[in-house]
């Protein structure tokens, strides 16, 4: 049976970067609510008794998309996966409780990065729309000029929205980190090392899970 890995960390901590590599090297499904929501930004959620009619309205403001929407996405994705690495969920205590009710976890990892570094990483993040590869204006640019020229910035990676996302993280998601820490299952990883060194720690933890 494939492993069930949960990767926690603030926005910009490196969850996407590490999850992609983990998924490849350990043959796991990469389940990420952020990507799933971005692919369905304009889906009609009006029937769900939510404040806004689409995920876009929440995402562009840096707020959490309602639990009923994301819980459904995660349930569907996990039921189709053998082993998985889950990234971007749960983001509040209710989602954490829902997750406990639908699956079990083999390891819970937390990438620890300071707020100052998070802002630098998020505002400099760039994406390749063709490959979904993640880059950074200062820390990691592609050598190929053609790739460099087609890179895009996410709508919500602007300074103002980044501040709001970090506030939402502190209020809603830090309690989730505390929850797993209290349970004694949280493995904390220094997320400020180079991507390769972070991956070494991540892979060691997953290996022994
Ligand atoms: P990052 O890891 O950079 O914060 P994500 O791609 O995980 O960004 O999420 C982008 C946006 O998608 C969030 O700001 C939020 O609006 C929405 N989102 C993603 N995952 C969830 C979730 N589990 N619950 C609620 N909203 C979510
Ligand atoms: P998350 O999914 O947690 O929001 P990402 O994996 O998208 O984070 O990384 C955010 C930004 O930081 C990206 O631009 C990425 O290239 C960069 N980044 C990721 N890991 C590191 C690292 N260890 N050192 C420096 N920059 C990094």
């Amino acid at each position: 049976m494939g492993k069930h890995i949960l990767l926690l960390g603030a926005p910009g901590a490196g969850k996407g970067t590490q999850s992609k590599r983990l998924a490849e090297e350990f043959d796991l499904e990469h389940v990420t609510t952020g990507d799933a929501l971005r692919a369905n930004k304009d889906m009609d959620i009006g029937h769900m008794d939510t404040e806004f009619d689409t995920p876009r309205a929440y995402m562009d403001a840096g707020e959490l998309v309602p639990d009923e929407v994301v819980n459904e996405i995660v349930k569907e994705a996990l039921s189709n996966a053998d082993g998985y690495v889950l990234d971007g969920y749960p983001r509040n205590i209710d989602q954490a409780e829902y997750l406990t009710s639908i699956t079990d976890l083999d390891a819970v990892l937390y990438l620890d990065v300071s707020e100052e570094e998070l802002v630098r990483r998020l505002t400099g993040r760039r994406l390749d729309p063709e490959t979904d590869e993640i880059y950074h204006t200062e820390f990691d640019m592609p050598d190929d000029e053609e790739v460099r020229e087609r890179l895009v910035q996410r709508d919500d990676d602007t300074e103002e929205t980044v501040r709001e996302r970090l506030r939402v993280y502190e209020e809603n998601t830090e309690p989730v980190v505390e929850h797993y820490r209290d349970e004694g299952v949280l493995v904390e990883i220094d997320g400020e090392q180079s991507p390769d060194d972070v991956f070494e720690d991540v892979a060691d933890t997953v290996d022994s899970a």
Side-chain angles (χ1 to χ4, degrees):
M1 223 189 71
K3 288 178 177 170
H4 295 175
I5 308 299
L6 176 58
L7 192 51
L8 297 172
K15 302 182 300 296
T17 303
Q18 298 297 329
S19 296
K20 272 178 201 289
R21 204 163 150 192
L22 207 51
E24 278 168 26
E25 298 199 17
F26 288 79
D27 195 24
L28 304 170
E29 199 80 44
H30 180 197
V31 177
T32 163
T33 44
D35 286 357
L37 289 168
R38 268 185 295 282
N40 295 285
K41 262 190 150 179
D42 294 309
M43 86 176 155
D44 186 3
I45 55 172
H47 61 286
M48 283 178 162
D49 195 28
T50 52
E51 188 182 355
F52 300 112
D53 288 339
T54 61
R56 179 187 296 277
Y58 297 93
M59 297 170 81
D60 287 352
E63 306 302 325
L64 296 183
V65 174
D67 291 347
E68 32 198 331
V69 178
V70 282
N71 286 349
E72 196 54 43
I73 291 173
V74 169
K75 184 180 182 189
E76 174 74 18
L78 296 192
S79 72
N80 292 320
D82 176 15
Y84 61 78
V85 49
L86 180 56
D87 147 26
Y89 180 100
R91 269 178 142 93
N92 61 32
I93 288 289
D94 285 344
Q95 291 180 14
E97 282 170 1
Y98 182 75
L99 182 64
T100 302
S101 77
I102 59 169
T103 192
D104 51 358
L105 297 169
D106 294 306
V108 184
L109 286 68
Y110 169 64
L111 300 179
D112 192 13
V113 173
S114 69
E115 174 154 359
E116 194 191 346
E117 174 72 9
L118 293 171
V119 173
R120 196 160 37 221
R121 286 190 187 178
L122 289 166
T123 51
R125 174 160 59 190
R126 296 292 183 274
L127 303 171
D128 181 348
E130 303 219 346
T131 62
D132 289 332
E133 204 62 41
I134 305 166
Y135 294 101
H136 192 280
T137 51
E138 289 170 65
F139 309 135
D140 180 22
M141 279 298 265
D143 295 328
D144 187 338
E145 191 181 335
E146 198 181 320
V147 178
R148 277 204 304 276
E149 282 174 359
R150 68 178 185 228
L151 297 184
V152 294
Q153 182 172 29
R154 260 170 54 174
D155 293 339
D156 59 349
D157 276 345
T158 56
E159 175 111 23
E160 192 194 348
T161 310
V162 160
R163 296 275 172 204
E164 177 60 12
R165 284 159 62 207
L166 292 175
R167 193 197 63 74
V168 167
Y169 172 80
E170 228 174 89
E171 181 178 320
N172 299 278
T173 316
E174 267 177 8
V176 173
V177 177
E178 288 306 317
H179 164 80
Y180 289 108
R181 187 181 283 129
D182 287 346
E183 284 194 342
V185 297
L186 195 72
V187 177
E188 305 201 35
I189 288 169
D190 176 3
E192 293 205 13
Q193 309 171 85
S194 72
D196 284 349
D197 287 346
V198 174
F199 188 73
E200 225 176 274
D201 289 352
V202 167
D204 281 350
T205 306
V206 171
D207 261 329
S208 55

